[in-house]
Amino acid sequence: MKYQKKLAVINDLSGYGRCSLTVALPVVSAMGAQCCPVPTSILSNHTGYPTYFFDDYTGKLPSYIDKWKELEISFDGILTGFLGSAAQIAIVEDFIRHFAKKEIGNSSRCKVIIDPIMGDHGRIYSTLTPKLCDRMKSLVAHADILTPNLTEACILTDTPYRPHFSAKELALLFDQLHALCPGCIVLTGMDAGAYLANIVFDPISGGTVTLRKKRIAAERCGTGDLFSAIVAAGILQDMPLIAAVQKAADFICLCLKETAEYNISRLDGVVFEPFLKYLAP
């Protein structure tokens, strides 16, 4: 009998703007896995727009998740993203302990990928509170793979943000992140002049691998969600982490290049729908 792997995706549902669950659902499906959403909040559109509807789903999450517990559902992977409140941290930690059968520092068949969505370019997103950002340090301890951008890495380590770090400063930043997270760490979307870089930290060797892609278009919203969804689905396909990161970067570059030909706002994300066929296993 064939077996299809299942990925639980804990993230918000934004109706417009190509991000979060509206990105993860088609991407994970295209890569051959079943995407099982856990909505942390409902938004009309993401918070980068000048106005938006926001419904915090904290009060509904326990009842939603309890039904999955009653059904004794199992997962091959868990991907966490945008959280609607600080109280959701404890809910997500309980979800990981139950469905991944995973305590902090323990290995598990079910891989946990945590995208600690908190901000970008040195700014915290408008719906997030200092308490949520502080409690994120507890959640990332459960990660097999952690995918912060530079802003989020600085928040997690209480490091003052600046857009560029020396090699020595980056090594210290990875040491501080590793003190919080025992798993692999991918520092995403690093500015490297004419290039964008993703830096992969291996906790076993303590070394890093830097993967660079030529900067081919202006930055657009939603690329982080594309990245984490592809990496998570790739891990479920038993891809090595570096190969999954490379696949994500290649796909995003393709989409950015094609999106430049469309007359849409950067807030509307990247046009990825015509290219999902390239993600098929």
Side-chain angles (χ1 to χ4, degrees), residues 189-197 211-216:
M190 294 289 291
D191 183 3
Y195 296 85
L196 285 175
L211 304 174
R212 291 182 174 87
K213 293 290 292 185
K214 187 80 172 179
R215 193 191 298 269
I216 61 171

Side-chain angles (χ1 to χ4, degrees), residues 209-229:
V209 175
T210 300
L211 304 174
R212 291 182 174 87
K213 293 290 292 185
K214 187 80 172 179
R215 193 191 298 269
I216 61 171
E219 186 176 339
R220 303 186 71 86
C221 294
T223 54
D225 292 310
L226 270 174
F227 182 90
S228 60

Side-chain angles (χ1 to χ4, degrees), residues 142-266:
H142 297 273
D144 293 298
I145 300 169
L146 179 67
T147 64
N149 61 31
L150 183 57
T151 297
E152 292 152 353
C154 288
I155 294 170
L156 288 169
T157 59
D158 298 316
T159 301
Y161 172 83
R162 53 192 182 280
H164 299 99
F165 280 64
S166 68
K168 184 177 180 179
E169 290 169 334
L170 278 176
L172 176 60
L173 188 65
F174 274 113
D175 286 344
Q176 292 173 311
L177 288 169
H178 184 46
L180 296 170
C181 168
C184 297
I185 301 164
V186 185
L187 193 55
T188 67
M190 294 289 291
D191 183 3
Y195 296 85
L196 285 175
N198 297 301
I199 308 175
V200 182
F201 172 83
D202 179 354
I204 296 176
S205 69
T208 60
V209 175
T210 300
L211 304 174
R212 291 182 174 87
K213 293 290 292 185
K214 187 80 172 179
R215 193 191 298 269
I216 61 171
E219 186 176 339
R220 303 186 71 86
C221 294
T223 54
D225 292 310
L226 270 174
F227 182 90
S228 60
I230 294 169
V231 168
I235 295 301
L236 261 64
Q237 293 176 355
D238 299 318
M239 278 187 190
L241 177 57
I242 289 175
V245 169
Q246 190 65 62
K247 185 180 184 73
D250 289 345
F251 184 76
I252 291 169
C253 283
L254 167 66
C255 295
L256 284 170
K257 182 178 180 180
E258 295 296 327
T259 301
E261 300 182 12
Y262 288 76
N263 183 27
I264 62 172
S265 163
R266 61 169 291 277

Side-chain angles (χ1 to χ4, degrees), residues 12 40-43 45-48 52-56 82-86 117-118 124-133:
D12 73 273
T40 60
S41 54
I42 307 296
L43 293 94
N45 44 273
H46 66 69
T47 61
Y52 52 86
F53 166 85
F54 174 74
D55 182 21
D56 177 4
F82 180 88
L83 301 182
S85 70
I117 297 176
M118 293 182 285
I124 296 175
Y125 295 134
S126 59
T127 62
L128 271 68
T129 64
K131 184 177 180 180
L132 190 155
C133 293

